[in-house]
Amino acid sequence: MKKRNFAKLLGGLLFTAMCLNLSSCKDEEESVGIGSDATSTDYSCIILNQGNYSESNGSVSILDGKGNITNHVYTDANGYALASIIESGFIDNGRLILICNNEDKIEVVNKSNFKKISTIKGIVTPRYGVVLSNYLFVTSVPDWNKMEGYVYKVDLAAAQIDTFIKLEGQPEGIISLDGKIVVGEGSNVKVINPTTLAVEKTVKGPSALNVKHFTKDANNNVWASYIGYDQFWNSVGGIAQLNLSKDTIANYTQLDNIAGEGHLSVTPNKSEILYRTVVGAYTPEESCGISSFNIASQTSKEVAKGLGFYGFNVDPKNGDIYTANINGWITNSTLLIYDAQGNVKSNDMTAGVGACRFIFQ
């Protein structure tokens, strides 16, 4: 995390230097806009552009069914910019939930017209979330220098915090399973009661690694990514299937070059789990790839490769892989779409700064 923040800070300084002689700095891609009173349900993908940390210029784009991209749809729908970094987001019950930091807030947005429904504040550095029974459960790491964090329970109807629990780790990804909340706490996985926020189970993992993110396979088994760093700050780690009924890891597989953020996605039939790979130090020209882990054979292979990847996701309809060259968070991102075999389908569209989350309806 420290290394990623350093990259963002460096990107921000470079961006500022580029703009010293300009009266204002604008995104290269002009907003095409849907209009404040329009609706836009004819889109295949929502793209969350994280933005540059020093500029707080996160934004939302959409890709329609004809392959046309429209940037700044939140700004156009509401008449003002989001003015935050977008860490993550997802669709739930007709709402697009944007989890933002710098400014720390959660924006609940109508997914059809992108107008704001409510804003929730009071959580420092919110990270990722999941909804159960109209409550949002969101992870938070207020201080990256401390091995501690929180899970907040947010009443979406009232748009306010209900309660929270402190964890002795830095929780990132969060998922629901059988009416419970599953979240990482350092090297362990915690199963939390959503009503009381009491910890009901603890699954211990490799002590040198930290739990990052989760996904589910075709049999509803939960898989988690585990990440650490070697003495040269290269990410190391792997993936494990969790046996939550026995509070154990069913199996753990080391994955070469798994990227430090540990994001996971699955193929449409959920037989393979995809993850990002990275080689060498982080730069805007970073050589990256997307690899797949075959659950049945317990083997992995590279599917796609390119430059400057950060986030990615898989289209559940056809297996297409969406990612972007974020160009160091300095300027607009280049949207990249690969088919399931890793062949390039599109590489000539421009999204916002730091395009990294790809949400499908």
Side-chain angles (χ1 to χ4, degrees), residues 216-234:
K216 298 176 188 176
D217 64 20
N219 295 315
N220 209 36
N221 296 312
V222 176
W223 293 75
S225 60
Y226 289 80
I227 302 294
Y229 293 95
D230 64 18
Q231 66 270 33
F232 303 108
W233 279 104
N234 296 312

Side-chain angles (χ1 to χ4, degrees), residues 35 76 90-91 148 161 185 231 254:
D76 291 342
F90 58 94
I91 291 174
E148 62 184 36
I161 296 169
E185 182 192 52
Q231 66 270 33
Q254 181 176 331

Side-chain angles (χ1 to χ4, degrees), residues 164-231:
F164 63 88
I165 181 175
K166 184 178 180 180
L167 299 177
E168 298 304 319
Q170 296 177 339
E172 285 275 77
I174 187 169
I175 197 170
S176 64
L177 180 72
D178 299 330
K180 306 293 184 180
I181 298 299
V182 180
V183 66
E185 182 192 52
S187 60
N188 301 325
V189 172
K190 299 289 186 178
V191 179
I192 296 174
N193 184 300
T195 302
T196 63
L197 291 193
V199 175
E200 296 186 343
K201 293 177 180 288
T202 299
V203 180
K204 293 185 177 181
S207 59
L209 304 175
N210 292 317
V211 181
K212 287 295 183 177
H213 289 280
F214 302 94
T215 193
K216 298 176 188 176
D217 64 20
N219 295 315
N220 209 36
N221 296 312
V222 176
W223 293 75
S225 60
Y226 289 80
I227 302 294
Y229 293 95
D230 64 18
Q231 66 270 33

Side-chain angles (χ1 to χ4, degrees), residues 6 13 17 20 25 53 63 73 82 125 132 136 142 163 174 180 213 232 248 250 255 270 312-313 335 346 349-350 355:
F6 176 77
L13 292 173
L20 284 176
C25 298
Y53 196 81
L63 182 67
V73 294
L82 191 62
T125 319
L132 271 179
L136 170 67
T163 187
I174 187 169
K180 306 293 184 180
H213 289 280
F232 303 108
T248 61
L255 300 175
K270 298 185 178 182
F312 76 97
N313 202 5
L335 179 64
S346 177
M349 288 185 286
T350 300

Side-chain angles (χ1 to χ4, degrees), residues 13-334:
L13 292 173
L14 291 172
F15 183 80
T16 302
M18 292 168 61
C19 298
L20 284 176
N21 294 323
L22 299 177
S23 59
S24 63
C25 298
K26 298 181 179 180
D27 291 343
E28 293 174 4
E29 181 73 7
E30 292 298 325
S31 169
V32 180
I34 60 174
S36 60
D37 297 319
T39 60
S40 181
T41 56
D42 183 27
Y43 55 80
S44 59
C45 181
I46 298 175
I47 302 168
L48 304 185
N49 307 295
Q50 188 175 75
N52 183 298
Y53 196 81
S54 64
E55 300 294 322
S56 294
N57 57 350
S59 64
V60 180
S61 304
I62 56 173
L63 182 67
D64 68 24
K66 297 179 180 179
N68 301 311
I69 196 168
T70 303
N71 292 313
H72 307 295
V73 294
Y74 177 95
T75 302
D76 291 342
N78 294 284
Y80 49 84
L82 191 62
S84 287
I85 297 300
I86 305 177
E87 179 62 38
S88 64
F90 58 94
I91 291 174
D92 175 78
N93 195 30
R95 302 167 295 200
L96 172 62
I97 296 177
L98 302 174
I99 300 176
C100 308
N101 56 68
N102 197 27
E103 167 187 12
D104 298 329
K105 63 181 179 179
I106 296 164
E107 291 279 288
V108 182
V109 178
N110 184 304
K111 81 175 185 70
S112 296
N113 60 20
F114 298 96
K115 288 187 176 182
K116 183 179 77 173
I117 298 171
S118 62
T119 299
I120 300 150
K121 293 188 176 182
I123 302 175
V124 180
T125 319
R127 304 294 292 165
Y128 297 88
V130 66
V131 171
L132 271 179
S133 302
N134 210 37
Y135 284 92
L136 170 67
F137 298 84
V138 60
T139 57
S140 163
V141 182
D143 187 346
W144 290 103
N145 294 312
K146 297 180 179 180
M147 287 304 297
E148 62 184 36
Y150 299 83
V151 173
Y152 283 85
K153 181 179 180 180
V154 177
D155 186 337
L156 288 173
Q160 64 184 20
I161 296 169
D162 181 276
T163 187
F164 63 88
I165 181 175
K166 184 178 180 180
L167 299 177
E168 298 304 319
Q170 296 177 339
E172 285 275 77
I174 187 169
I175 197 170
S176 64
L177 180 72
D178 299 330
K180 306 293 184 180
I181 298 299
V182 180
V183 66
E185 182 192 52
S187 60
N188 301 325
V189 172
K190 299 289 186 178
V191 179
I192 296 174
N193 184 300
T195 302
T196 63
L197 291 193
V199 175
E200 296 186 343
K201 293 177 180 288
T202 299
V203 180
K204 293 185 177 181
S207 59
L209 304 175
N210 292 317
V211 181
K212 287 295 183 177
H213 289 280
F214 302 94
T215 193
K216 298 176 188 176
D217 64 20
N219 295 315
N220 209 36
N221 296 312
V222 176
W223 293 75
S225 60
Y226 289 80
I227 302 294
Y229 293 95
D230 64 18
Q231 66 270 33
F232 303 108
W233 279 104
N234 296 312
S235 58
V236 295
I239 190 171
Q241 180 186 338
L242 307 180
N243 188 330
L244 296 177
S245 63
K246 296 183 178 181
D247 302 348
T248 61
I249 291 177
N251 55 66
Y252 172 81
T253 303
Q254 181 176 331
L255 300 175
D256 293 336
N257 301 322
I258 185 170
E261 73 277 358
H263 289 296
L264 302 174
S265 188
V266 291
T267 55
N269 63 6
K270 298 185 178 182
S271 65
E272 296 180 58
I273 300 172
L274 276 71
Y275 59 97
R276 187 175 80 92
T277 60
V278 60
V279 179
Y282 191 94
T283 69
E285 294 78 34
E286 176 186 43
S287 297
C288 299
I290 306 293
S291 290
S292 67
F293 173 78
N294 186 288
I295 294 172
S297 67
Q298 303 282 291
T299 59
S300 60
K301 65 178 181 180
E302 186 177 69
V303 179
K305 59 183 178 180
L307 298 175
F309 299 173
Y310 179 49
F312 76 97
N313 202 5
V314 177
D315 188 336
K317 298 185 294 296
N318 57 21
D320 285 353
I321 302 167
Y322 283 60
T323 185
N325 185 338
I326 59 170
N327 297 311
W329 285 286
I330 297 172
T331 185
N332 297 90
S333 304
T334 304

